[in-house]
Amino acid sequence: MGLVSAIIGLFRKITRRTIFLIVALTLSFSIIFSNVAFIQKINLYILSKSISWTSEKAYNYIESLPEGSVVLLSADYAPSTKVENDPVVQGFLIQAFRKNLKVIAISLWPDGAVLLENNIKAVALKMNKKEDEDYVIGGYVVGGSVAIEKMGINLKTAIPLLKHSNAEFLKNIRTAKDLKLVFCVAAGDSLQSYVKILGARYGVNISGGCTAVMAAEMYPYIMSNQLIGLFAGLKGACDYQILELKDQIDPNNVPESVKNMFAQSIIHLLIVIFIIIANVVYFYERYEIKRKIKK
Amino acid sequence: MKRELPLFITAITGILIILNFVFPELTGGITETLRDWTIMIASFAILLGILNLIIVNLRKSLEPITHLEDRIFSIIVILSLVLTTIIGLIYGIKSNIQSFVVFKINNDYIFPLIETEFLKRDTNIFTGVIFNSVYTPLNSATFSLLAFFIASAAYRAFRAKNFEALILLLSAAIIMLGRVPIGDYIFSIFGIKISLISDYIISVLNAAAQRAILIAIGIGTIIISLKLLFGVEKSHIGKGD
Amino acid sequence: MEIGYLLYKAVIPFKENPSVLVSFIFLITISIIFWYYINNAKMGKIKEIFIRRIPALNSIDEAVGRSTELGKPILYIPGIMDIDNIQTLASLSLLSYIAQKTALYETELIMPVSRSVVMTVAQEVIKESYLKVGRSDLYRADKIFYLTDDQFGYAAAVDGIISREKPGAIFLVGAFYAESLILAETGFSAGAIQIAGTAMITQLPFFIAACDYVLIGEELFAASAYLSSDIIDKITLKTQDISKAIVMSFVLFIAIFNNLLVSFPNLANLPFFNIINLIIKTFFTNK
């Protein structure tokens, strides 16, 4: 009994600061250890066996698009969620360029435009794709949901930079209805705006990725087919990299998102452990109160 | 008149935008102009914000009653605002195109790695220094505070005080473990694939509850909009009865 | 010719996407109900309606009172979205109630905002509220100030304000994203009474974990009507409930109907079922 109360006493001493310290230490170590080859291999193996159905659905839909289809990529996130969203944008670009889809790339967030340009130029360079031929950069589009509404009426007035482009594939595109797919990677409400405005009103196919915290909110739209599929959070990012790169992945040097998954795994486990400790303390305290009352 | 005119404008533009949802062909022209105005007003509003920021912080840094600490913060705010604006106006956010030409990739690399390689070669002072080296880390750092706060909030809030709390706590634990590979790894000892259970909770149980809240919020939004259109809600223009 | 052409143009969208017609009819129905109740209230036919208790709103007085006792300021955060967001508007109408209370108790109200238009509107709202209770001398425009449009920049600045000013009560009402928990946890550690309200479903759990009272989803939209003494304001809640009942009955009917069809496929041969099935397929199904 003495040992139990000693442990409980120790647990009771846990304050906010202790939690912060433990989280910081655990995170730092797990980020360092995520480079260990053995951990990388296990992570990759388990992740490739448990790909989310929403990711698979989104991936297969893009796979089924005919060559030369025009798609819109909207990267609406800031550097803060780069870790979750960047791999999805990169995965989409690799898949789209491999399938010879024509990409119009925009961002409804000013910071997103810089990140998008970095991504698209890096991927295009590797895959030998040319600007104004295989893709167009629409840059930062002002107006948020107002801009999305405008896309339904006239794509080129909604995205002014398209007017200056002489890309061949833009000639047949008048409104968002002419797009085969809108792929939105969002950290805010823009994915929902695309579903509610372009999807519900103009019947455009919408798919995309989002941060993990938003994922729960998007499921009703997936279940009602208003959203084709979803790459949710870091898990979605890993799914995309694994689906797209498949055998090309070197098990000793896995993509960054798969590596980061180790840190996320550990921190999730840690939080579950904290919850268990909190409950042990809670039940012990209840037990003690009951015992005192009996006395 | 000071009250009626804004209400009248709200009603007319609101009705036009609603009609545009139903009859886009008929009302396309006029609503597009209205939307352009919205975007223009929103863009100009930033000037208003900057002006307020400068005035408030200048006053803070000059007023004798302000603490020294606050005064330093205010001066930093003003300095960084001015500096970023000047550098941004000179260099712009367009990345340096030349750096792409000299930039070569090792073909074995996987993309996220390339990007860091590529960022190092970005010589534009705005994107290279301010955006990638100052803004991005600061932004990520504030966001990553969430990891600490979630841990401490979970420690405090998830207690099985009653049956409902127990269910909440269990489903939270299942989803947390089901979304990461370690969950499947641990539970494979018992022959359970926890990622499937977590998928079921998210896509069936969660979606049902989310849908109910979504519909209720949708209706609430419609009612507030109607209150604005009918002029019942006046507080946003200063409620004067 | 003109009228014929216009009619043709008006019909095209329905042909392309018939579900728009349902939305349109639903909207008109709600508007008619809304107008009917408001008219009745204006003519004095409805004097009082029953509204269920919302604890978060009842606790506003307590929060303001406690802050006053402690001599600490009150912090009001209207979310991070612009004035075009309905949640921000709902938040501002709640603000007008809270500002009246703070003016009455002579408590300081600090309001950092992340959108400049919201700032100007909030200044107007607070000024009017102070005027209404006859304390316009207490109003200070520089207590309502703009910080930054950037989400985490704003969160960091507000966290700084919370830890320096140590407010007695914090109101987090409006549209929030990932910064919700960052703000709420800092507020918790500063020992403030926290009242939150948002319709962002994903942020609700965070607020529930870290705040004392939370307005969940539609409660935020009902807040101003709940607190108002005006029957016309209150009556709008009735429309909200009726609209909800309409949607619920549709959902229930279609769910039962579809389940019947799956369980007894022979029913599809009956003309009545056939017609209803066709209507559901055309008007209530996403392509």
Side-chain angles (χ1 to χ4, degrees):
Chain A
M1 209 59 213
L3 185 70
V4 174
S5 51
I7 294 173
I8 298 281
L10 199 68
F11 283 166
R12 272 190 192 147
K13 281 189 187 144
I14 296 179
T15 59
R16 268 165 62 91
R17 280 161 204 259
T18 337
I19 293 175
F20 290 168
L21 183 72
I22 296 172
V23 170
L25 287 178
T26 318
L27 262 179
S28 320
F29 279 115
S30 52
I31 287 170
I32 295 168
F33 279 111
S34 66
N35 287 312
V36 176
F38 166 71
I39 290 172
Q40 288 189 23
K41 265 181 208 157
I42 289 188
N43 255 344
L44 186 67
Y45 176 76
I46 300 174
L47 280 170
S48 57
K49 288 275 178 277
S50 61
I51 286 172
S52 305
W53 64 274
T54 55
S55 309
E56 221 159 345
K57 219 173 146 211
Y59 182 80
N60 291 340
Y61 181 80
I62 301 168
E63 208 56 15
S64 72
L65 288 176
E67 219 169 83
S69 311
V70 183
V71 293
L72 179 87
L73 167 66
S74 180
D76 315 322
Y77 57 93
S80 49
T81 57
K82 206 172 147 214
V83 180
E84 284 179 292
N85 293 339
D86 256 7
V88 178
V89 168
Q90 287 159 356
F92 175 76
L93 286 170
I94 302 169
Q95 192 187 6
F97 286 154
R98 178 174 57 78
K99 295 271 313 169
N100 275 327
L101 305 179
K102 306 293 176 192
V103 180
I104 303 171
I106 60 159
S107 173
L108 298 176
W109 291 24
D111 326 359
V114 185
L115 296 170
L116 178 68
E117 207 178 309
N118 288 350
N119 280 326
I120 202 165
K121 289 205 164 145
V123 177
L125 200 67
K126 166 137 186 174
M127 303 190 73
N128 272 328
K129 297 288 173 182
K130 289 188 182 65
E131 189 170 352
D132 282 342
E133 203 174 288
D134 302 294
Y135 67 93
V136 181
I137 297 179
Y140 167 49
V141 173
V142 197
S145 58
V146 179
I148 299 175
E149 275 171 26
K150 283 181 75 176
M151 287 176 207
I153 298 161
N154 190 335
L155 200 70
K156 280 170 194 162
T157 52
I159 310 169
L161 277 183
L162 293 190
K163 284 182 198 156
H164 306 300
S165 166
N166 45 12
E168 196 62 34
F169 67 86
L170 282 180
K171 289 204 171 113
N172 302 322
I173 304 291
R174 205 176 66 81
T175 70
K177 275 186 265 183
D178 302 320
L179 299 169
K180 283 280 181 296
L181 174 75
V182 171
F183 191 87
C184 170
V185 183
D189 61 348
S190 62
L191 183 53
Q192 269 173 316
S193 300
Y194 277 113
V195 171
K196 284 178 191 161
I197 300 165
L198 289 189
R201 179 62 195 85
Y202 297 100
V204 184
N205 293 315
I206 315 284
S207 177
C210 67
T211 52
V213 68
M214 285 170 57
E217 201 177 353
M218 300 314 298
Y219 273 82
Y221 297 111
I222 307 173
M223 303 301 274
S224 63
N225 276 334
Q226 284 169 297
L227 185 67
I228 293 169
L230 185 72
F231 294 98
L234 195 60
K235 175 80 163 46
C238 291
D239 288 349
Y240 213 150
Q241 300 269 343
I242 290 168
L243 283 169
E244 182 55 38
L245 298 171
K246 277 172 208 136
D247 309 328
Q248 293 171 38
I249 299 179
D250 170 11
N252 293 317
N253 191 9
V254 295
E256 201 76 0
S257 52
V258 178
K259 268 189 204 168
N260 289 337
M261 207 61 187
F262 178 66
Q264 191 161 9
S265 293
I266 298 295
I267 205 75
H268 278 205
L269 192 66
L270 183 70
I271 292 177
V272 172
I273 292 171
F274 275 138
I275 293 175
I276 294 171
I277 291 177
N279 280 288
V280 168
V281 173
Y282 173 72
F283 280 109
Y284 186 78
E285 277 170 359
R286 273 217 325 204
Y287 163 77
E288 277 205 324
I289 291 170
K290 270 186 193 166
R291 213 176 50 174
K292 273 179 193 162
I293 291 171
K294 268 184 188 170
K295 273 182 183 172
Chain B
M1 199 56 193
K2 198 191 156 202
R3 303 253 176 274
E4 278 79 33
L5 194 64
L7 289 179
F8 182 71
I9 295 172
T10 313
I12 295 291
T13 45
I15 289 168
L16 270 173
I17 296 286
I18 290 173
L19 284 179
N20 179 246
F21 182 81
V22 192
F23 310 107
E25 305 274 328
L26 287 181
T27 51
I30 184 156
T31 49
E32 197 160 339
T33 317
L34 285 176
R35 289 197 175 109
D36 281 340
W37 288 0
T38 317
I39 293 174
M40 266 187 269
I41 293 170
S43 315
F44 269 105
I46 193 80
L47 282 181
L48 186 74
I50 290 174
L51 211 66
N52 178 271
L53 191 77
I54 293 175
I55 292 172
V56 169
N57 282 293
L58 260 186
R59 194 181 294 159
K60 256 194 199 168
S61 56
L62 294 177
E63 263 177 13
I65 48 162
T66 322
H67 288 292
L68 182 69
E69 204 184 32
D70 281 359
R71 202 173 290 179
I72 295 171
F73 288 150
S74 293
I75 293 170
I76 292 175
V77 168
I78 295 173
L79 276 184
S80 47
L81 175 75
V82 174
L83 215 73
T84 318
T85 314
I86 293 172
I87 297 175
L89 286 175
I90 297 171
Y91 292 96
I93 61 159
K94 274 260 171 198
S95 321
N96 194 337
I97 305 297
Q98 271 191 336
S99 65
F100 282 100
V101 184
V102 284
F103 165 55
K104 276 181 197 153
I105 306 169
N106 179 356
N107 280 331
D108 299 335
Y109 269 174
I110 300 152
F111 285 100
L113 291 174
I114 289 174
E115 199 205 44
T116 45
E117 189 81 353
F118 147 77
L119 286 177
K120 278 181 204 151
R121 290 162 190 260
D122 193 353
T123 50
N124 178 335
I125 184 168
F126 189 83
T127 53
V129 177
I130 293 187
F131 192 85
N132 291 326
S133 306
V134 179
Y135 179 68
T136 306
L138 281 179
N139 218 322
S140 311
T142 320
F143 186 50
S144 59
L145 281 179
L146 264 182
F148 299 92
F149 287 157
I150 284 178
S152 79
Y155 182 72
R156 212 173 52 236
F158 281 126
R159 297 206 174 164
K161 286 177 186 152
N162 48 40
F163 186 62
E164 284 96 335
L166 180 71
I167 290 178
L168 183 75
L169 152 85
L170 283 180
S171 51
I174 291 173
I175 286 177
M176 260 191 278
L177 291 177
R179 296 291 293 176
V180 288
I182 206 166
D184 270 347
Y185 188 74
I186 295 172
F187 279 84
S188 62
I189 305 166
F190 311 105
I192 301 170
K193 206 167 179 199
I194 201 165
S195 59
L196 285 180
I197 306 174
S198 119
D199 255 2
Y200 173 79
I201 293 176
I202 296 188
S203 48
V204 180
L205 304 180
N206 156 68
Q210 296 276 2
R211 206 171 282 140
I213 303 179
L214 266 179
I215 291 173
I217 289 173
I219 291 168
T221 311
I222 295 176
I223 298 295
I224 290 251
S225 310
L226 284 178
K227 276 168 86 174
L228 291 167
L229 291 186
F230 279 74
V232 177
E233 179 71 62
K234 293 183 214 119
S235 50
H236 63 293
I237 50 165
K239 204 185 234 166
D241 299 325
Chain C
M1 165 258 155
E2 284 296 308
I3 294 172
Y5 180 68
L6 284 180
L7 270 177
Y8 168 72
K9 281 219 144 185
V11 173
I12 289 179
F14 294 134
K15 223 177 119 189
E16 273 178 6
N17 193 354
S19 60
V20 173
L21 190 65
V22 181
S23 313
F24 190 48
I25 292 174
F26 181 63
L27 188 64
I28 289 180
T29 319
I30 298 185
S31 308
I32 292 171
I33 300 170
F34 188 85
W35 178 81
Y36 169 81
Y37 275 114
I38 289 213
N39 229 22
N40 270 1
K42 271 186 186 160
M43 290 195 300
K45 282 186 191 167
I46 304 169
K47 291 270 188 306
E48 196 52 62
I49 61 164
F50 169 75
I51 305 174
R52 83 178 157 86
R53 236 175 68 87
I54 302 179
L57 294 173
N58 293 340
S59 61
I60 290 178
D61 287 8
E62 179 202 330
V64 177
R66 209 186 76 140
S67 269
T68 314
E69 278 169 22
L70 294 171
K72 288 179 172 179
I74 286 170
L75 192 70
Y76 193 97
I77 314 285
I80 58 157
M81 296 309 279
D82 217 333
I83 195 79
D84 61 347
N85 192 300
I86 286 286
Q87 296 182 52
T88 312
L89 283 171
S91 172
L92 288 173
S93 49
L94 192 65
L95 170 69
S96 105
Y97 177 83
I98 292 165
Q100 285 178 33
K101 289 278 164 212
T102 55
L104 277 177
Y105 292 130
E106 296 182 17
T107 308
E108 188 184 3
L109 178 67
I110 305 173
M111 186 173 174
V113 293
S114 81
R115 305 283 160 159
S116 47
V117 179
V118 178
M119 175 192 74
T120 24
V121 177
Q123 284 174 341
E124 196 67 21
V125 169
I126 295 177
K127 203 170 152 188
E128 286 281 340
S129 308
Y130 277 47
L131 197 67
K132 210 172 171 184
V133 293
R135 295 308 309 262
S136 55
D137 54 309
L138 289 176
Y139 171 74
R140 277 185 62 191
D142 60 350
K143 289 287 167 200
I144 305 116
F145 51 92
Y146 169 83
L147 286 171
T148 165
D149 272 41
D150 182 76
Q151 182 186 14
F152 292 110
Y154 179 72
V158 173
D159 272 5
I161 292 171
I162 293 174
S163 40
R164 280 193 302 274
E165 304 277 344
K166 295 256 181 297
I170 301 176
F171 292 89
L172 300 150
V173 186
F176 289 90
Y177 288 90
E179 72 288 347
S180 62
L181 190 67
I182 299 179
L183 302 176
E185 272 289 302
T186 316
F188 175 83
S189 63
I193 286 196
Q194 297 199 92
I195 299 177
T198 188
M200 309 299 298
I201 307 174
T202 45
Q203 306 306 329
L204 280 170
F206 296 143
F207 279 147
I208 290 170
C211 296
D212 300 282
Y213 300 95
V214 184
L215 291 166
I216 297 169
E218 52 173 337
E219 287 180 349
L220 168 64
F221 301 127
S224 72
Y226 182 87
L227 295 170
S228 170
S229 51
D230 189 3
I231 184 72
I232 296 178
D233 251 356
K234 287 191 174 187
I235 206 75
T236 55
L237 291 180
K238 200 141 193 161
T239 326
Q240 196 165 333
D241 283 351
I242 291 175
S243 320
K244 229 191 295 178
I246 295 175
V247 175
M248 269 156 68
S249 43
F250 265 102
V251 170
L252 209 64
F253 176 76
I254 294 175
I256 292 173
F257 184 85
N258 277 343
N259 274 311
L260 270 181
L261 272 193
V262 173
S263 318
F264 309 100
N266 291 338
L267 284 177
N269 300 330
L270 296 173
F272 169 73
F273 275 80
N274 217 343
I275 290 168
I276 292 188
N277 199 13
L278 195 70
I279 292 174
I280 292 176
K281 284 246 161 72
T282 344
F283 292 105
F284 292 90
T285 315
N286 215 275
K287 279 190 292 180

